[in-house]
Amino acid sequence: GQQVMQIPQYQHVQEGEDFTTYCNSSTTLSNIQWYKQRPGGHPVFLIQLVKSGEVKKQKRLTFQFGEAKKNSSLHITATQTTDVGTYFCDRGGNKLTFGTGTQLKVEL
Amino acid sequence: EPEVTQTPSHQVTQMGQEVILRCVPISNHLYFYWYRQILGQKVEFLVSFYNNEISEKSEIFDDQFSVERPDGSNFTLKIRSTKLEDSAMYFCASGRGRSYEQYFGPGTRLTVT
């Protein structure tokens, strides 16, 4: 399927700083899924957003789905070293396309 | 919590040999997938499987590859004659439905020498 574009590709932050990654699609999405892959690990499902304007929280992670269902964001408050990894958004469907993702590095 | 399991965790094989990678998906899931990740690169889709047949496959999934669900629990990926470039981490995943989230196994690292 058509890929969802994600920015930034890389982000280095100091521990305690906030972090945001954005996904944008030129077409309306029926839903969007977020995954995380730690270095040397496997992709792990984080969340799925379905409704226009939806906001979901998981502890320090806040996920948003745009009103037009063409964009989404993941915001991490007060990053920790355990947040290190690559975050992917995907439109789901019969396969995951794993675009560039955003690689997050957290420095002490 | 149910999880996808994969065996072996690491497989070393010689070029030209056949390998079978095994996966046990989550028990009530209906969709099964194989992905691979070459070291330092992004995860790539190989194949999806539903209702005992391939529902979609990528260009990577050529005639050297096949998948099978030999019984009610296992899902296998066979590479008939391995090449050096098949060296990668192979992830199995499963999901409840076509647009549902996918749950990944820990992967099998395949090294072809």
Side-chain angles (χ1 to χ4, degrees):
Chain A
Q2 196 171 5
Q3 252 184 359
V4 178
M5 303 307 295
Q6 191 172 351
I7 55 169
Q9 195 169 348
Y10 302 98
Q11 184 83 61
H12 289 206
V13 298
Q14 294 289 321
E15 190 178 40
E17 292 181 339
D18 292 357
F19 159 76
T20 306
T21 174
Y22 301 90
C23 286
N24 295 290
S25 170
S26 56
T27 58
T28 303
L29 303 167
S30 57
N31 67 79
I32 193 154
Q33 299 173 358
W34 285 91
Y35 294 80
K36 174 185 178 182
Q37 185 178 23
R38 289 189 171 163
H42 59 278
V44 174
F45 170 74
L46 295 177
I47 210 156
Q48 176 164 280
L49 304 173
V50 178
K51 298 177 185 173
S52 167
E54 190 169 15
V55 178
K56 286 188 176 179
K57 292 192 175 186
Q58 290 178 351
K59 297 182 181 177
R60 294 178 295 102
L61 278 60
T62 302
F63 302 85
Q64 290 189 321
F65 202 9
E67 294 289 340
K69 298 182 72 172
K70 289 185 175 183
N71 55 70
S72 180
S73 65
L74 158 59
H75 179 83
I76 302 178
T77 304
T79 54
Q80 299 175 357
T81 53
T82 53
D83 296 324
V84 164
T86 302
Y87 293 84
F88 299 94
C89 60
D90 202 281
R91 65 193 304 136
N94 200 29
K95 64 183 180 185
L96 300 177
T97 52
F98 286 103
T100 56
T102 296
Q103 188 177 336
L104 174 64
K105 293 192 175 179
V106 180
E107 297 167 359
L108 292 170
Chain B
E1 188 173 316
E3 55 184 24
V4 176
T5 59
Q6 290 185 243
T7 54
S9 56
H10 191 189
Q11 174 90 50
V12 181
T13 189
Q14 288 191 328
M15 197 167 52
Q17 295 295 304
E18 174 183 289
V19 293
I20 297 176
L21 310 183
R22 302 180 191 281
C23 168
V24 178
I26 293 172
S27 62
N28 62 345
H29 285 184
L30 301 176
Y31 284 75
F32 313 110
Y33 309 86
W34 283 101
Y35 295 83
R36 78 172 187 190
Q37 187 172 32
I38 295 170
L39 189 63
Q41 298 185 22
K42 70 172 194 171
V43 177
E44 300 173 290
F45 168 77
L46 293 178
V47 66
S48 60
F49 191 86
Y50 168 71
N51 200 26
N52 279 320
E53 58 184 26
I54 291 174
S55 56
E56 189 170 351
K57 60 182 180 180
S58 72
E59 290 177 355
I60 303 168
F61 194 89
D62 62 22
D63 293 344
Q64 293 298 313
F65 291 87
S66 62
V67 289
E68 195 177 31
R69 188 152 161 82
D71 52 44
S73 60
N74 290 284
F75 180 49
T76 61
L77 174 69
K78 182 193 290 187
I79 308 176
R80 219 175 320 276
S81 177
T82 50
K83 303 188 278 271
L84 293 175
E85 54 265 37
D86 293 329
S87 294
M89 181 72 90
Y90 287 81
F91 295 111
C92 172
S94 69
R96 288 174 290 157
R98 194 177 185 279
S99 294
Y100 284 73
E101 66 273 17
Q102 295 182 24
Y103 293 90
F104 285 74
T108 293
R109 178 163 297 286
L110 177 65
T111 302
V112 182
T113 61

